């Protein structure tokens, strides 16, 4: 929602912190966030967010923290096309996938575990 920090970002951080608290070493924790649908707007840079909502992106700080912690964040290319988002509109470090489904299937074959995170309604 416009102007509100996306709760899903906190949940991603919580999942990372729980793994670390359980003793998983950083070298054994590879985090990739696959984003699609309306959640893609969470990852707009300030300039692009301003064009849509007339304010800076309130999610940027948390996204930057996740990226700095080593998380990879990729947005569905099909969603980007539908929502008219270009690569230059994304926060620096956020990447584009061909689609969320192909990204998920690729990571699943590499042994990744999926933690589905739905936005509250």
């Amino acid at each position: 929602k416009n102007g509100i920090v996306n709760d899903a970002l906190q949940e991603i951080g919580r999942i990372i912190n729980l793994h670390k608290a359980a003793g998983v070493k950083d070298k054994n924790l590879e985090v990739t966030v696959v984003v699609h649908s309306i959640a893609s707007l969470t990852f707009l840079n300030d300039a692009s967010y301003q064009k849509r909502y007339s304010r800076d992106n309130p999610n940027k700080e948390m996204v930057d923290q996740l990226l700095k912690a080593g998380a990879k964040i990729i947005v569905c290319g099909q969603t980007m096309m539908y929502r008219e988002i270009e690569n230059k509109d994304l926060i620096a470090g956020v990447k584009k996938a061909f689609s969320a489904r192909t990204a998920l299937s690729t990571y699943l074959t590499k042994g990744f575990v999926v933690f589905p995170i739905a936005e509250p309604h």
Side-chain angles (χ1 to χ4, degrees):
K1 293 175 185 140
N2 152 21
I4 299 173
V5 175
N6 187 333
D7 290 338
L9 295 174
Q10 291 178 335
E11 183 61 18
I12 294 163
R14 187 175 299 111
I15 291 168
I16 293 168
N17 290 337
L18 286 170
H19 280 78
K20 289 181 179 191
V24 177
K25 304 281 184 223
D26 284 345
K27 67 179 183 174
N28 296 325
L29 186 61
E30 187 176 343
V31 177
T32 301
V33 179
V34 179
V35 182
H36 67 101
S37 190
I38 193 79
S40 61
L41 301 174
T42 300
F43 301 91
L44 294 176
N45 60 35
D46 283 336
S48 297
Y49 201 90
Q50 285 237 4
K51 286 180 188 173
R52 292 175 190 243
Y53 302 114
S54 301
R55 62 170 295 157
D56 286 345
N57 185 343
N59 301 287
K60 186 176 182 313
E61 183 180 337
M62 288 186 74
V63 172
D64 286 341
Q65 288 176 10
L66 288 170
L67 291 167
K68 186 176 180 184
K72 294 178 192 168
I73 301 173
I74 52 179
V75 178
C76 173
Q78 305 304 300
T79 292
M80 287 177 64
M81 193 169 30
Y82 176 75
R83 297 198 180 273
E84 298 179 351
I85 299 170
E86 297 180 32
N87 290 345
K88 68 179 178 63
D89 297 322
L90 298 173
I91 293 170
V94 175
K95 307 292 182 197
K96 172 184 172 183
F98 179 78
S99 72
R101 297 209 182 261
T102 57
L104 285 169
S105 64
T106 298
Y107 281 100
L108 283 170
T109 62
K110 293 178 180 181
F112 278 65
V113 175
V114 174
F115 292 95
I117 301 172
E119 288 192 79
H121 299 295

